[in-house]
Amino acid sequence: MSEAAFRSLYRRLREQALDGPDPGRGALGHLTPERVVAAATEVRAGRTVSLAAPIGTTPVPDDPQPATHRMTAPAPGEAGAPGLHFALDRFAMNVHGDADSHLDALCHVMFDGELYGGVPASSVTPDGAGALTADLVRDGIVGRGVLLDVPRLRQVPWLEPGDHVTADDLVAAEAAQGVTVGPGDLLFVRVGHRRRRRSLGAWNAAQQRAGLHPAALPFLAERRVAALGSDGNNDTAPSAVAEVPFPVHVLAMNALGLHLMDYLNFEELVPVCGQLRRWHFLCVVAPLRLPAATGSPVNPIAVL
């Protein structure tokens, strides 16, 4: 896609988003209380499945600066001593990495000096973000989740790095799985990133990964999707737009106001959906309450 075509698409999607039901909430405006209530009826079997990957603490090619976890108590020899003692620990991580499951707040993507809705990018300072932060989803994101499994559609274990998911793939996956993405849905697109990583080992995903083609974003806008998640970064690398490294992030977050969830894990969900022959479910996303943050580690739960 040329830069000119990308910018034309950006302008069109941005205008469409700002005409939505609640521009202040971004695409979450499509997730009405009535749709949350309807999503609750998706529960049939009472099974819960995590959509997050375990947080890594060992350096690997796609996570050279992993999370740190250290015990701060008990002191040596204290655990076996008489009386009351506590086990304590401390955890720190880079939220926006290429391995750990996380949610991107709308202040994460700056494009041409602006955030979503024309908010000045200068609202993000060294002290934190001042608008469109993770606090926007402090009450969680609860709605109908829909998983579209593109490797299943193409009858391969995973998409190879650099491959694109197109709008035609999404429509074909709907038909193959007997599900239709609708207004207020939380759309999850599987590219098989986690299965490839588990089978072949970690690689430098910042340089090569499968993801959505930017031309697929009108599908999300037309279906009025409320949030988007993938087992990859959502963006393909190398980028489909040479001049814009993360075109899907720009179109989804900066133009449409879609919260993104990157590097989720669907490998535990897929067999359950296959067994139940159902690719839609109640989904509960509960980010940490970080008022000035650009994102949060996240553990979405599918309830089937």
Side-chain angles (χ1 to χ4, degrees):
M1 178 180 283
S2 69
E3 182 180 9
F6 170 80
R7 287 185 173 276
S8 176
L9 178 58
Y10 171 82
R11 289 190 295 270
R12 177 160 61 89
L13 293 180
R14 181 176 180 179
E15 291 172 4
Q16 185 174 341
L18 295 179
D19 287 335
D22 186 357
R25 297 185 66 223
L28 292 178
H30 300 309
L31 187 50
T32 63
E34 294 77 14
R35 287 172 179 151
V36 175
V37 171
T41 67
E42 296 286 325
V43 180
R44 303 278 195 280
R47 298 184 65 173
T48 61
V49 184
S50 168
L51 306 188
I55 294 174
T57 56
T58 302
V60 288
D62 60 352
D63 197 14
Q65 296 179 314
T68 58
H69 175 239
R70 65 183 180 88
M71 299 301 295
T72 58
E78 189 177 55
L84 174 65
H85 304 279
F86 292 100
L88 304 174
D89 47 2
R90 182 177 179 83
F91 172 80
M93 71 179 296
N94 168 27
V95 173
H96 302 286
D98 289 302
D100 295 324
S101 305
H102 63 273
L103 176 141
D104 291 338
L106 295 184
C107 59
H108 175 51
V109 175
M110 309 174 192
F111 187 66
D112 288 345
E114 292 183 344
L115 307 178
Y116 167 73
V119 174
S122 58
S123 62
V124 181
T125 72
D127 295 322
L132 302 175
T133 71
D135 196 54
L136 191 64
V137 287
R138 62 183 177 275
D139 295 320
I141 304 173
V142 180
R144 188 180 87 134
V146 176
L147 175 64
L148 296 184
D149 190 342
V150 179
R152 180 178 185 270
L153 171 72
R154 297 189 189 177
Q155 299 183 342
V156 294
W158 55 72
L159 304 190
E160 288 295 340
D163 200 353
H164 298 285
V165 175
T166 67
D168 287 344
D169 285 325
L170 299 179
V171 172
E174 284 184 312
Q177 296 173 211
V179 66
T180 300
V181 178
D185 282 349
L186 316 183
L187 174 60
F188 299 101
V189 180
R190 179 176 178 265
V191 298
H193 182 99
R194 290 291 177 185
R195 182 172 176 185
R196 187 182 195 277
R197 189 178 189 268
R198 184 181 64 196
S199 299
L200 304 181
W203 71 96
N204 188 346
Q207 299 297 318
Q208 292 185 313
R209 59 181 179 269
L212 276 73
H213 192 280
L217 269 292
F219 173 93
L220 279 69
E222 291 161 7
R223 300 301 181 90
R224 291 177 285 169
V225 167
L228 172 66
S230 175
D231 52 346
N233 174 265
N234 286 291
D235 261 295
T236 305
S239 172
V241 185
E243 299 83 0
V244 183
F246 294 88
V248 170
H249 274 64
V250 174
L251 295 176
M253 303 191 70
N254 197 284
L256 289 174
L258 272 167
H259 284 81
L260 295 189
M261 287 169 276
D262 297 335
Y263 295 108
L264 300 178
N265 175 39
F266 303 135
E267 299 311 302
E268 296 169 16
L269 178 63
V270 166
V272 177
C273 286
Q275 178 188 7
L276 298 177
R277 297 181 181 179
R278 188 158 58 91
W279 300 87
H280 50 96
F281 41 85
L282 174 67
C283 188
V284 180
V285 182
L288 300 178
R289 293 198 65 170
L290 300 167
T294 65
S296 169
V298 73
N299 181 20
I301 303 294
V303 188
L304 296 101

